[in-house]
Amino acid sequence: APRLAPMDADALSTTPAAQAALEALRTAAGANGPMERHCLRQFAIAERLAGDRALDRELLLCACWLHDAGLYIPSRDPYVTEGARLADRVLAPFGWPPERLQRCMDACEQHHAPRSRLGMGLEVEMVRQADLVDVTAGIVNFGLDRRWLRALFRDVPRDGFWRLLGGAVLGELRHRPASLTGVFFSPRRTRA
């Protein structure tokens, strides 16, 4: 199987905004654990899915770091909404134009939407598709080469991911069960 170029979260996060987003994820979920590796795989998948289409790589990376961080924020609101709010708090100090910040927030909040979110921006849809590819271990692959996916899963290990996912689902059911429709069926749109 092909080997991928080494993937390192710190090396990818070359801008102050990306570093801040990675640090926010690490503060919430811990460093170098299953959640960080999920976000790293998601970013690689999203870039691969985008192909040669132009996208905002920094925005995509920040959205990947922050999209699930709302799981760690106590709230009655859907965790995807908390992720969007966190993106606003973390990235607003960097002076992003409002529409760019909104697109990153949308990528966090809409990543479980049941239908395409391409109308909100390529990055929003790539985060949504890439999350589904990683969560399903490539069963849903949007046409990606399965050998490439196997190499990614080998090079950025999935160790601990199923336990993390199971714990997250149980936590959501226990602490904010009424919010699940806002995660999977009708995600709202939090404004910057």
Side-chain angles (χ1 to χ4, degrees):
R3 298 268 340 155
L4 300 176
M7 296 189 68
D8 177 271
D10 292 299
L12 276 173
S13 302
T14 59
T15 67
Q19 291 166 357
L22 177 59
E23 187 55 39
L25 171 67
R26 287 176 170 170
T27 298
N32 304 312
M35 181 58 78
E36 185 174 316
R37 290 191 306 273
H38 163 60
C39 297
L40 191 56
R41 288 188 304 271
Q42 181 189 30
F43 177 72
I45 292 165
E47 276 199 317
R48 186 81 171 197
L49 285 168
D52 58 4
R53 294 179 283 180
L55 59 73
D56 184 330
R57 191 169 193 259
E58 179 185 41
L59 186 157
L60 180 68
L61 182 59
C62 290
C64 287
W65 291 146
L66 297 170
H67 81 284
D68 276 340
L71 284 166
Y72 304 94
I73 298 172
S75 173
R76 292 203 180 276
D77 288 330
Y79 86 87
V80 293
T81 299
E82 289 302 333
R85 290 175 183 151
L86 180 61
D88 185 26
R89 288 192 303 273
V90 169
L91 300 172
F94 296 100
W96 285 17
E99 61 279 356
R100 186 177 190 224
L101 181 57
Q102 185 67 57
R103 199 163 61 249
C104 188
M105 292 172 63
D106 288 343
C108 294
E109 195 159 34
Q110 303 295 318
H111 79 270
H112 286 303
R115 287 180 291 291
S116 173
R117 293 299 191 248
L118 191 56
M120 293 179 159
L122 179 61
E123 299 84 3
V124 178
E125 181 61 10
M126 292 302 94
V127 168
R128 187 186 78 83
Q129 287 184 15
D131 187 68
L132 189 56
V133 171
D134 193 53
V135 166
T136 65
I139 293 170
V140 175
N141 65 19
F142 296 100
L144 287 178
D145 180 89
R146 291 191 187 278
R147 287 181 307 144
W148 182 86
L149 281 170
R150 280 193 300 273
L152 175 64
F153 296 154
R154 181 194 61 232
D155 293 347
V156 184
R158 299 176 59 79
D159 302 349
F161 184 66
W162 295 116
R163 177 178 291 226
L164 172 78
L165 192 59
V169 169
L170 289 175
E172 291 301 292
L173 287 172
R174 186 175 26 234
H175 299 294
R176 44 186 164 192
S179 76
L180 290 179
T181 58
V183 172
F184 295 104
F185 302 111
S186 57
R188 63 202 254 186
R189 190 170 193 210
T190 301
R191 297 290 181 169

